[in-house]
Amino acid sequence: MMTILLSDITEDGLDIEFEETLETDAFRTFSPVKAKLRVDKVSSEVLVNGSIRTLVELQCSRCLNNFTNKTDININVVYHPVDELKGEDRHEIKDDELDTGFYRDELLDINELLKEQMILNMPMKPLCSESCRGICLRCGKNLNIDTCECRQEEPDPRLVELKKLLDDRKE
């Protein structure tokens, strides 16, 4: 586990370069996460800038096959002491605070930062390739590997009535 004591951050800042294996339920990595980070402290704020790289396993949203994806993420996060939230039952995050985090006990957990940034930067609909044909909705065959014998001309049953209206209009 990689943590930084805020007292270790000098006036010139701190440059960190490391490889770390991350374990999480949200994704599986195939290689250690390589991180190059610059950590600066301005008053009580801690600024973290840099990049992380790794290979992750994702599931294609069309064909449901697993595939590896190269992940290259730029990080730009500002950390505030968690004490700033005291007295507030809720803290609404504004658009300009989306890259904001909080630290406690003068410790900054870099592993949590890496996991959080990787989860936030995962594609919503991962695709093994742009040309992925997906699976047949009727028989379930992977159309990238095999062709199916299902009739594809059948219109969506919800649109049958609209098709009738269009056909009547043509006549």
Side-chain angles (χ1 to χ4, degrees), residues 19-22 28-34 53-56 118:
E19 289 186 19
E20 185 81 25
T21 302
L22 293 179
R28 188 173 138 214
T29 59
F30 278 108
S31 66
V33 178
K34 296 178 183 179
R53 290 181 175 189
T54 192
L55 289 173
V56 294
M118 289 182 67

Side-chain angles (χ1 to χ4, degrees), residues 62-64 132-138 140-144:
R62 288 185 190 161
C63 68
L64 306 179
C132 178
R133 296 176 56 211
I135 57 175
C136 176
L137 297 175
R138 290 182 177 76
K141 285 187 180 178
N142 184 338
L143 299 175
N144 298 314

Side-chain angles (χ1 to χ4, degrees), residues 6-27:
L6 297 189
S7 59
D8 290 344
I9 303 171
T10 64
E11 287 183 16
D12 296 332
L14 190 62
D15 288 312
I16 304 169
E17 195 168 325
F18 65 94
E19 289 186 19
E20 185 81 25
T21 302
L22 293 179
E23 298 292 326
T24 181
D25 293 335
F27 58 85

Side-chain angles (χ1 to χ4, degrees), residues 95-116:
D95 286 343
D96 61 344
E97 294 180 324
L98 290 178
D99 291 327
T100 299
F102 296 93
Y103 65 86
R104 74 168 27 101
D105 301 328
E106 297 297 309
L107 288 172
L108 189 59
D109 187 345
I110 297 298
N111 282 11
E112 286 304 311
L113 165 69
L114 298 180
K115 287 178 188 178
E116 175 185 280

Side-chain angles (χ1 to χ4, degrees), residues 44-45 79-88 91 100-103:
S44 65
E45 291 183 345
Y79 283 89
H80 298 274
V82 76
D83 297 342
E84 288 183 5
L85 295 177
K86 282 189 177 171
E88 293 183 39
H91 180 76
T100 299
F102 296 93
Y103 65 86

Side-chain angles (χ1 to χ4, degrees), residues 117-131:
Q117 290 299 311
M118 289 182 67
I119 290 170
L120 289 172
N121 285 283
M122 290 291 157
M124 290 185 75
K125 289 190 174 188
L127 295 177
C128 58
S129 74
E130 287 296 321
S131 61

